[in-house]
Amino acid sequence: MPTVRVADLKDGDFLLDVREDDEWKAGHAAGALHIPISEFVARYGELTEAAPQDGRIHVICRSGGRSAQVAVYLAQQGVDAVNVDGGMQVWEAAGRAVVTDDGTPGHVL
């Protein structure tokens, strides 16, 4: 399954966060689309509407396990999707911004 390192992500890359609501509310990457893995299949249409037509979807969770499952599912649907290795834990450790819904600093649960 294709993966990408947090260090290789660029500003403007499309990011899909599949963590649950409490994790998202504590802190997330600004601009990410949030669809919890528990609701993913039912809300798949939201992803197809928001994602760039010919672009890659970078899937992220806390540590990489749940996002790997979603990335595999997307790849099976013919979507260009990759798992973000190490997830939001690595994102935060790398000094990337973690924010709450109101834009204030957040943290990774």
Side-chain angles (χ1 to χ4, degrees), residues 18-89:
V18 298
R19 295 174 303 144
E20 296 302 322
D21 288 337
D22 61 330
E23 295 172 289
W24 171 266
K25 288 176 185 169
H28 54 269
L33 173 65
H34 178 230
I35 303 177
I37 192 170
S38 61
E39 302 171 14
F40 186 75
V41 174
R43 294 177 56 188
Y44 184 75
E46 292 177 42
L47 174 64
T48 59
E49 289 178 18
Q53 294 302 315
D54 295 321
R56 174 170 278 179
I57 297 172
H58 301 85
V59 189
I60 197 165
C61 67
R62 182 174 184 264
S63 62
R66 291 172 286 178
S67 53
Q69 293 174 37
V70 172
V72 166
Y73 174 82
L74 290 171
Q76 290 171 343
Q77 307 308 308
V79 175
D80 182 8
V82 295
N83 185 36
V84 178
D85 191 35
M88 287 299 296
Q89 290 178 319

